[in-house]
Amino acid sequence: MSSRIENRFAQCRAEGRAALVTYVMAGDPDPETSLAVMRALPRAGADIVEFGMPFTDPMADGPAIQASGLRALKAGQDTVKTLDLVRRFREEDAETPVILMGYFNPVEQYGVTRFIDDAKAAGVDGLIIVDLPPEEDGELCIPALEAGLAFIRLATPTTDDKRLPAVLKHTGGFVYYVSITGITGAATPDFDKVSGAVGRIKRHTDLPVVVGFGVKNGDHAESIARGADGVVVGSALIAALKATYDAQGRATAQSIPAVEALVRDLAAGVRRAARQSA
């Protein structure tokens, strides 16, 4: 599986801390800004970057990410351009793992074999395709794994012990635990329950378990990091970026600094958890 993902989690384990995984949307509000944001994330303390592939019907996403995807599509973002942004990111960063996150329809329209080949060539390390259940592994999951791309699966509070083995069977890279029932950014997770849920999943797999949905600041990240191998933040970053746009929806001089400031706060929270557990 992707050596970048494995290496990054090994590095975080050596530092005695969880990984910080950050999500932004490709092409929001324009390709150049989203590339600048993507490059800023590791500089500010992100360990892994999830890059959203915009789609017209993002059923698992809350209002912030839905609006972000629509802005990107309006600006002309598509799969070809998204892979090109990853390729350009790799010209300056050969170490940070990059995960493409989205839905199967754009991949199917692009062509599965072509998509896998082009994603690998661009420097993608893994995929999160939220609307492909284990019963459809032959569509994309298994071909991606055979090509060396991690296929990262989501587990939720309603994924019981009977269902987990099927969810985990072909999962690679890490397991993404959705800490709430519902859409992204909709609520704050119950931090006391998250650690127990992570422990339950880890009884079924040796893969790292990262937790997302509802993490908004460094204090939240610290709470999650005490009981997980990684913390995912997306909607809060999208909202911080959107708050800097001008009246025409364009990025401003404050856009990149706003994202960097939030990522630094999140990274500090993850590291506080490591010090407290040491």
Side-chain angles (χ1 to χ4, degrees):
M1 207 46 59
S2 169
S3 59
R4 272 188 288 252
I5 297 175
E6 292 177 353
N7 290 345
R8 187 50 52 93
F9 277 107
Q11 175 187 338
C12 292
R13 284 194 300 272
E15 295 175 9
R17 65 174 179 86
L20 176 60
V21 184
T22 52
Y23 170 99
V24 291
M25 181 67 69
D28 176 28
D30 62 79
E32 294 306 313
T33 298
S34 70
L35 177 60
V37 169
M38 193 181 185
R39 287 171 170 164
L41 296 171
R43 292 199 305 265
D47 296 297
I48 296 173
V49 173
E50 290 180 6
F51 213 26
M53 297 185 290
F55 179 50
T56 53
D57 188 24
M59 61 185 181
D61 295 314
I65 294 179
Q66 286 186 26
S68 178
L70 292 176
R71 289 192 297 269
L73 291 170
K74 185 177 180 181
Q77 191 70 15
D78 60 18
T79 305
V80 171
K81 293 178 181 178
T82 297
L83 293 175
D84 184 60
L85 290 177
V86 176
R87 188 175 297 108
R88 293 172 63 192
F89 173 81
R90 280 283 173 243
E91 293 172 357
E92 296 187 6
D93 189 325
E95 302 299 328
T96 302
V98 174
I99 312 296
L100 290 183
M101 184 170 185
Y103 298 82
F104 185 54
N105 184 273
V107 175
E108 187 176 37
Q109 294 298 316
Y110 192 90
V112 169
T113 300
R114 177 188 171 210
F115 175 79
I116 291 172
D117 290 345
D118 290 355
K120 283 283 293 182
V124 172
D125 299 291
L127 306 173
I128 302 175
I129 306 298
V130 300
D131 56 345
L132 276 183
E135 289 76 14
E136 305 295 333
D137 274 356
E139 296 284 348
L140 177 61
C141 172
I142 292 174
L145 292 171
E146 289 174 347
L149 288 173
F151 198 89
I152 296 148
R153 196 76 80 181
L154 275 65
T156 75
T158 60
T159 308
D160 60 21
D161 287 331
K162 183 177 180 181
R163 178 64 173 169
L164 264 175
V167 170
L168 297 172
K169 184 177 181 181
H170 295 128
T171 295
F174 58 88
V175 181
Y176 188 141
Y177 178 67
V178 177
S179 60
I180 60 173
T181 53
I183 54 177
T184 59
T188 301
D190 185 331
F191 301 119
D192 291 334
K193 293 182 179 179
V194 167
S195 180
V198 171
R200 181 173 66 86
I201 294 169
K202 291 178 81 67
R203 288 195 291 271
H204 293 264
T205 181
D206 293 327
L207 290 171
V209 179
V210 307
V211 176
F213 282 45
V215 180
K216 297 179 174 63
N217 54 49
D219 289 340
H220 289 175
E222 179 183 356
S223 296
I224 294 292
R226 293 192 192 111
D229 299 305
V231 182
V232 186
V233 184
S235 293
L237 286 168
I238 298 292
L241 184 62
K242 169 64 167 58
T244 68
Y245 295 167
D246 65 17
Q248 286 73 46
R250 297 172 301 198
T252 67
Q254 298 305 312
S255 297
I256 305 304
V259 171
E260 289 177 324
L262 179 52
V263 174
R264 283 194 294 270
D265 179 49
L266 295 163
V270 166
R271 285 160 173 79
R272 285 196 302 272
R275 287 200 301 273
Q276 290 178 10
S277 63

